[in-house]
Amino acid sequence: MKYIHLTDGRYLGFISGNNLFSRDGLYLGWLEGDMVWGKNGEYRGTLTEMGGNNYILRQVFAVSPIPRVPKVPPVSPAPPVPVSNIVPIITPLGYSDGFKG
């Protein structure tokens, strides 16, 4: 299981199988390789590890892939015990947080 944080350090949620869930176990989307798609089929970014933590980052100036057909939401697993928030990171130049703003 991978835990996902926002770039401001807040705990967003977790990956179970190839699906992304919020900290409360709500379905947020799915993964295809390292590409992350929102529950409505919109491209959200790339799963990126930095400093031992996982983030979903999106290139600001890149053309987004064509949206995908939304998938049937899976059964939500029991959410794990939430992990602590972490120190914010400086987003790499040209990237933004895929689930913030």
Side-chain angles (χ1 to χ4, degrees):
M1 181 171 308
K2 289 187 180 183
Y3 299 102
I4 307 298
H5 285 85
L6 297 172
T7 56
D8 66 7
R10 289 182 291 151
Y11 170 57
L12 172 68
F14 61 98
I15 294 172
S16 177
N18 285 327
N19 296 300
L20 176 65
F21 297 92
S22 73
R23 64 184 300 132
D24 301 319
L26 300 175
Y27 177 65
L28 296 177
W30 73 92
L31 283 81
E32 291 178 1
D34 63 351
M35 296 176 72
V36 181
W37 301 90
K39 64 182 177 182
N40 296 322
E42 72 280 11
Y43 175 71
R44 298 308 294 251
T46 302
L47 180 63
T48 306
E49 183 182 341
M50 294 177 64
N53 296 304
N54 296 296
Y55 305 91
I56 297 169
L57 300 180
R58 183 179 186 145
Q59 288 186 327
V60 176
F61 301 110
V63 176
S64 293
I66 295 171
R68 304 279 189 190
V69 174
K71 294 187 175 192
V72 175
V75 174
S76 295
V81 174
V83 296
S84 299
N85 293 336
I86 58 174
V87 175
I89 62 166
I90 296 173
T91 308
L93 186 62
Y95 286 84
S96 66
D97 196 306
F99 274 88
K100 190 174 165 200

